[in-house]
Amino acid sequence: MEVGIIGLPKSGKTTIFNAVTAGSAIVDGFAKSSNIGVAKVPDKRLLTLSNLFNPKRTTPAEITFIDLPPPPDGIGDTRGISGEFLNNLQAVDVLLLVCRSFSDPSVIHVDDLVDFKRDAESMMYELIFSDIDLVSRRIDKLLEKYKGASKIERATLDKEKDFFIRLKDQLGSNIAIRDQTITTEEWKILVGYQLLTAKPVIAVVNIDENQIQEQQAMLDQLGLFKDKSDMGMTTMCGKLEMELAQMDKASEKEFREDLGMQQSGMDQSIDLSYQVGGKISFFTVGEDEVKAWEIPSGISVQRAAGKIHTDLERGFIRAEVIHYEELISCSGVLADARKKGLIRSEGKDYIVKDGDVVNVLFNV
Ligand SMILES: Nc1nc2c(ncn2[C@@H]2O[C@H](COP(=O)(O)OP(=O)(O)OP(=O)(O)O)[C@@H](O)[C@H]2O)c(=O)[nH]1
Ligand SMILES: [Mg+2]
């Protein structure tokens, strides 16, 4: 899964990119090219399994983060999302919107005053404008095609045109594609368009350390991101998290405890990206490796097997499945779980659940 980090110039995108990927991309000057890095999805269950199986390798699920520099003249105030920047945004699965709330006077702000709510809203408008533009272009193309079309062809074109006009009207009323009522049939038409407001979004408010106490009150102001399965929000002390992420694990732990930071803003951003992106994890266990695998929620065990190796999907026979909690109830001893009848035999259509421990039997 790919998460694209966007935001106004100097909002702290690269700083947050470094924090989530423990990277060290340069945070100075106006960025011109993207930074790409990988974050490990924090999962306590994986660590517990690793302690039980003592494997040679323990491999967490991963998310790719891309720090996307805005065009030189910036975005916001309908300066527009276009060109390469648009292509880059279209290619990601989830958008992570950085909203500046830190108030360092030495860091310029495009709009004199620091106001994370205004910035979040204006960025969300930008995404809407970009989609209106894309949809309008599609409508124009359809009208063009209409001229030389037969009566039957026109009926099909009419249907599609009406659909796009409906999308455009609602976008015009500030309703994102993800919030519009769209049938499964209609979604099929939209595949390939990569409309930006169809993508899940999480807002990360980049706060000062002295705003930690106010973080809940701040998030309450972002109603737009609340109570929706494909939206999320969190606060993060970008600069501090970046410094912590670059420390060795032991010092980092000590500092976090001193600062009273429970789940870090960094882990929350990674977790949220996973959730809003509709991802779940299943596990494979063994002496060699204990591993968490990222899959879209709702897929069959046969397709999930393909994530491990295409041979496992192609030659799939059946899967032995036990849920993490059940395996833990047997202290991770598979033989005990088997005796108790907790290891189920599942066919190809079984829908994998978050936390399933899976062993695929296959033949190629
Ligand atoms: N005080 C404070 N400064 C921050 C924080 N996050 C970023 N900065 C500073 O703000 C400046 C810009 O940060 P970047 O991470 O480069 O911001 P950006 O959005 O990537 O900037 P561009 O790519 O140039 O648009 C740097 O000097 C950072 O050190 C923060 O949480 N607190
Ligand atoms: Mg940057």
Side-chain angles (χ1 to χ4, degrees):
M1 177 171 72
E2 289 188 349
V3 178
I5 302 178
I6 57 166
L8 294 175
K10 301 287 165 213
S11 51
K13 298 178 295 296
T14 305
T15 303
I16 284 178
F17 167 84
N18 282 337
V20 292
T21 60
S24 52
I26 297 164
V27 291
D28 246 351
F30 283 86
K32 286 182 194 65
S33 59
S34 308
N35 296 304
I36 300 177
V38 166
K40 295 178 175 23
V41 179
D43 193 333
K44 289 204 179 83
R45 299 171 301 184
L46 183 73
L47 298 180
T48 310
L49 289 172
S50 176
N51 286 334
L52 290 171
F53 285 85
N54 223 351
K56 291 185 194 124
R57 273 195 316 279
T58 302
T59 316
E62 288 180 342
I63 300 181
T64 302
F65 281 86
I66 308 173
D67 170 23
L68 295 163
D73 50 349
I75 40 178
D77 296 334
T78 72
R79 278 181 282 250
I81 295 175
S82 57
E84 197 191 333
F85 185 57
L86 175 61
N87 294 341
N88 288 335
L89 288 190
Q90 286 183 310
V92 301
D93 304 298
V94 171
L95 300 171
L96 188 156
L97 185 56
V98 177
C99 314
R100 169 171 172 182
S101 175
F102 68 89
S103 55
D104 187 337
S106 70
V107 180
I108 57 153
H109 192 292
V110 280
D111 285 288
D112 300 336
L113 285 175
V114 173
D115 180 344
F116 69 92
K117 185 167 181 265
R118 175 204 57 207
D119 291 353
E121 284 168 359
S122 86
M123 288 293 299
M124 293 303 273
Y125 276 128
E126 284 301 325
L127 301 177
I128 293 241
F129 285 129
S130 164
D131 279 356
I132 290 180
D133 195 40
L134 243 150
V135 167
S136 303
R137 270 187 277 149
R138 183 63 199 158
I139 294 170
D140 290 347
K141 278 235 175 71
L142 287 166
L143 287 172
E144 195 62 35
K145 270 191 184 170
Y146 204 81
K147 287 180 195 156
S150 70
K151 211 169 170 188
I152 302 169
E153 286 166 342
R154 284 186 177 188
T156 321
L157 290 173
D158 268 337
K159 231 173 121 188
E160 200 177 327
K161 186 186 73 194
D162 290 347
F163 170 55
F164 277 102
I165 288 176
R166 197 184 84 212
L167 295 183
K168 186 179 167 181
D169 285 346
Q170 295 200 53
L171 284 165
S173 308
N174 198 21
I175 304 174
I177 296 289
R178 76 179 88 72
D179 295 329
Q180 298 189 18
T181 311
I182 294 171
T183 64
T184 319
E185 276 308 302
E186 289 168 339
W187 271 118
K188 285 184 192 151
I189 301 177
L190 284 187
V191 171
Y193 282 96
Q194 300 282 23
L195 292 166
L196 300 183
T197 69
K199 293 181 193 292
V201 186
I202 60 175
V204 175
V205 183
N206 188 8
I207 58 172
D208 268 329
E209 281 155 61
N210 62 16
Q211 292 175 317
I212 291 179
Q213 301 303 328
E214 300 159 46
Q215 52 188 326
Q216 194 48 53
M218 292 172 87
L219 291 178
D220 287 343
Q221 295 180 46
L222 293 179
L224 192 61
F225 295 85
K226 225 172 170 172
D227 302 330
K228 289 185 189 146
S229 62
D230 47 11
M231 304 281 272
M233 56 184 170
T234 185
T235 56
M236 178 156 158
C237 295
K239 203 168 170 182
L240 174 68
E241 291 280 357
M242 178 177 116
E243 284 159 11
L244 290 170
Q246 287 164 351
M247 285 180 185
D248 62 79
K249 286 284 160 219
S251 331
E252 180 187 345
K253 192 161 172 270
E254 204 174 301
F255 267 95
R256 279 195 196 282
E257 278 166 9
D258 283 353
L259 294 163
M261 295 166 86
Q262 305 255 320
Q263 194 195 20
S264 64
M266 170 176 135
D267 281 358
Q268 266 182 40
S269 312
I270 298 172
D271 257 2
L272 272 175
S273 307
Y274 212 64
Q275 280 167 31
V276 300
K279 303 295 181 180
I280 59 169
S281 297
F282 75 91
F283 303 102
T284 50
V285 294
E287 283 171 14
D288 280 340
E289 188 176 31
V290 167
K291 181 163 177 162
W293 301 86
E294 172 228 293
I295 51 166
S297 92
I299 70 165
S300 71
V301 69
Q302 183 172 19
R303 274 191 57 206
K307 176 98 191 185
I308 304 172
H309 196 285
T310 47
D311 281 355
L312 271 64
E313 182 171 2
R314 202 157 46 89
F316 183 91
I317 302 171
R318 63 189 171 85
E320 295 179 330
V321 182
I322 178 170
H323 194 266
Y324 166 82
E325 299 292 348
E326 290 174 327
L327 184 55
I328 296 305
S329 76
C330 306
S331 309
V333 182
L334 286 165
D336 287 358
R338 202 177 293 279
K339 258 188 232 150
K340 288 188 186 163
L342 291 174
I343 300 184
R344 291 168 278 129
S345 176
E346 300 284 3
K348 63 180 171 48
D349 296 326
Y350 170 74
I351 302 296
V352 179
K353 296 190 183 58
D354 184 51
D356 274 347
V357 178
V358 176
N359 178 33
V360 178
L361 306 172
F362 70 108
N363 182 18
V364 284

